[in-house]
Amino acid sequence: MKVAGLSTLPPGRRATVSERLGGPLLLLATVALTIFLLLPLGALLLGAVRDDAGAFSLARFAEFAATPGMATAVWNTLWVAVVVTAITVPLAFVYAYAIERACLPLRGLWRIIGLSALLGPSLVGAIAFIQWFGTQGVLKAWLGETSVYGPVGIVMATVYASFPHALMILVVALATADGRLYEAADALSASRWRKFVTVTLPGARYGLISAALVVFAYSVSEFGIPKVIGGNFPVLAVEIYVQVVGQHNFGRGAVVALLLLLPVLLAFAIDWWVQRRQQAGLSARAVPYRPRPDWRRDLPLLFYCLLLATAMLGILGMAAYTSLVRFWPYNLELSLDHYIYGLAEAGVLDAWLNSLRIAGLTALFGTPFVFFTAWLLEKCQGGPTGLRPLVRALAALPMGVPGLVLGIGYILFFNAPDNPLNGLYQTLAIMVVANIVHYYTACHLTALTALKGIDREFEAVSASLKVSPFVTLWRVTLPVCLPAVLEIARYLFINAMTTVSALVFLYSPATLPASVAILNLDEAGELGPAAAMATLIVLTSAAISLLYSLVTHLLFRRHQAWRQGQR
């Protein structure tokens, strides 16, 4: 007997293999996302609205409002995020404009340097700015009487850490343009500024809005930077850490986490609304825009890229230099003592190996799960009514959930004694799952974009030849989507290697990751060993990125030769 509402098949038609298996498999993926995303967030909500006896109460919110300094932390979090956004987006826009709309030499090099902050945890920038502008900093005089420990340091380090996120969005926004618009502007004798205001900016406005919202959300939820360089400047992200780790007050931590979640969700809701209103920037008759050399534009932009690239390399270089000097700033002799101390005596070697395991398992299990779920969603039919909209909603939700909020939710849900999954808590497995969930949305959109580029005619031909859709997936879809699959694996590995906020509440002494070990070293006043471990993470991420480039080059030459023929 068929239950009404559970089948989407019209009467009289037999289900295909894709429909018989696709629906149940997609349902399993939905169950997994529900358990590891929705239920922890539900536990977070319940933890905030229940008192110690388990009864419904808003007393925790009243306690939060009455606690001295909490209103200040909320205000500080918001105004710092606004300032960071106001600085980062224009910097990234001009940099992206130079890469995409000017005739600069070494464009690929400028882009790599612009994205270099992604290779390490956000703590790298905080440590470097302490060495540049701290009490013993090389450029301390530049700040005059202003201390780097506080809002100034938080803003500078967060601008550095969020810059590549804005740059990636704006490069895409500026990569395509209709050359006919610029030809028309030239025919009307429009000035350079007039063309920029009436053609370039309107064409990139959605990218600018998205970049601003992403940077704002990143700034609100950033934890490592204010923890290292914030001094006594209170922000919500650090307050969550203090409540949960310092005071073991999980209820108030849940309240603060919810407050942290609200502005982030609001930012991504606005971005979703803006993206729905976005129209295609290129029509079928569009002519790709090709910038012509013009030294009056190119030379200032080249100088700008050189200046910004020097600053970014200076930040990475200072972190690496700090890891090599014996005792800053009194004994600048180069040595590997900090690496030896950190790896051998401080136990960071085990933490680094833990991070390698976590990152490797995140890429190994996360990549097929994300891609296969996207394939079921895009290429298979069948399943209960309403299942696909639910999966799409679950896939988009992690983008608006900060790592700290997810971590608190995991504590409240998986650490509950009556939860049958309680055994996962403080294991490598739960940290791998947290990373997959935390970075799920970007990977899902990457996979979905690649799958949408494949004509459905392939599945139709396979069905007519009675070929299993899973054979088509293995022989056709997966090879065609190989670039996206490899990019998802690289993205998951590097983010799992560098993240702090998603794991800071979930580790045990045996599963301590390297990024959290850096935080512990900094709290102990061991800035040199902390810089050494941060540099080690950067080198590991860089090595993986180089290996990714080599593997993709070899695989493309062997299995993607048809792409070369199209170029």
Side-chain angles (χ1 to χ4, degrees), residues 167-516:
L167 180 63
M168 288 189 295
I169 296 172
L170 294 172
V171 163
V172 173
L174 291 169
T176 55
D178 192 344
R180 296 176 302 169
L181 299 177
Y182 290 90
E183 292 174 3
D186 290 334
L188 295 172
S189 301
S191 65
R192 193 183 304 272
W193 175 250
R194 181 78 172 170
K195 285 190 290 185
F196 179 79
V197 171
T198 59
V199 181
T200 303
L201 279 181
R205 64 183 181 274
Y206 294 110
L208 283 166
I209 294 172
S210 292
L213 294 172
V214 166
V215 172
F216 178 84
Y218 181 94
S219 304
V220 166
S221 59
E222 174 55 35
F223 162 71
I225 290 173
K227 186 71 176 66
V228 171
I229 203 173
N232 295 321
F233 187 76
V235 294
L236 282 177
V238 176
E239 194 58 41
I240 294 176
Y241 183 80
V242 170
Q243 293 294 331
V244 174
V245 176
Q247 302 180 18
H248 295 280
N249 191 336
F250 295 101
R252 186 174 294 178
V255 172
V256 181
L258 278 180
L259 292 177
L260 186 68
L261 181 62
L262 291 178
V264 177
L265 284 179
L266 177 62
F268 283 104
I270 294 172
D271 183 59
W272 174 80
W273 180 78
V274 168
Q275 294 299 332
R276 283 178 60 91
R277 294 174 60 88
Q278 182 175 0
Q279 297 178 353
L282 291 178
S283 66
R285 298 181 180 180
V287 177
Y289 173 69
R290 296 286 183 267
R292 294 188 295 269
D294 185 345
W295 68 270
R296 292 172 298 177
R297 176 201 62 204
D298 298 342
L299 192 59
L301 289 176
L302 178 61
F303 178 76
Y304 175 83
C305 288
L306 182 62
L307 187 65
L308 229 59
T310 301
M312 287 183 279
L313 291 178
I315 293 169
L316 281 178
M318 177 55 80
Y321 181 65
T322 302
S323 72
L324 293 172
V325 297
R326 286 188 181 274
F327 185 57
W328 178 277
Y330 306 106
N331 185 353
L332 301 181
E333 180 185 352
L334 298 183
S335 167
L336 294 177
D337 287 353
H338 294 315
Y339 289 89
I340 295 172
Y341 170 80
L343 293 173
E345 299 181 29
V348 183
L349 176 60
D350 292 335
W352 181 68
L353 293 175
N354 283 339
S355 287
L356 284 179
R357 295 188 190 99
I358 292 168
L361 291 172
T362 299
L364 182 64
F365 291 102
T367 304
F369 177 74
V370 171
F371 185 80
F372 191 63
T373 302
W375 177 77
L376 290 172
L377 195 62
E378 179 66 20
K379 298 296 183 180
C380 289
Q381 302 297 322
T385 304
L387 179 62
R388 294 174 189 281
L390 176 60
V391 175
R392 292 188 179 94
L394 289 174
L397 182 59
M399 182 179 290
V401 180
L404 284 174
V405 175
L406 192 64
I408 295 290
Y410 272 44
I411 289 177
L412 296 174
F413 181 69
F414 290 101
N415 198 31
D418 55 346
N419 189 335
L421 299 175
N422 176 266
L424 288 174
Y425 187 63
Q426 290 191 329
T427 63
L428 284 179
I430 196 65
M431 299 167 82
V432 169
V433 171
N435 281 326
I436 294 172
V437 172
H438 187 203
Y439 299 108
Y440 188 90
T441 302
C443 299
H444 175 78
L445 293 176
T446 301
L448 213 58
T449 301
L451 289 166
K452 285 181 180 293
I454 301 177
D455 198 324
R456 291 186 177 272
E457 198 68 27
F458 286 102
E459 283 75 21
V461 172
S462 299
S464 65
L465 295 175
K466 301 188 184 305
V467 176
S468 168
F470 299 99
V471 174
T472 306
L473 168 67
W474 179 254
R475 293 185 178 179
V476 178
T477 307
L478 194 57
V480 171
C481 295
L482 187 60
V485 172
L486 294 174
E487 178 60 29
I488 290 170
R490 186 193 67 84
Y491 179 86
L492 286 174
F493 185 95
I494 290 180
N495 279 286
M497 194 77 194
T498 60
T499 187
V500 178
S501 60
L503 306 182
V504 71
F505 299 129
L506 302 177
Y507 70 91
S508 68
T511 59
L512 175 70
S515 56
V516 179

Side-chain angles (χ1 to χ4, degrees), residues 2 7 9-10 12-21 381-383:
K2 294 184 180 179
S7 176
L9 293 176
R13 188 172 72 82
R14 297 180 58 185
T16 64
V17 174
S18 172
E19 293 166 340
R20 289 198 303 270
L21 297 179
Q381 302 297 322

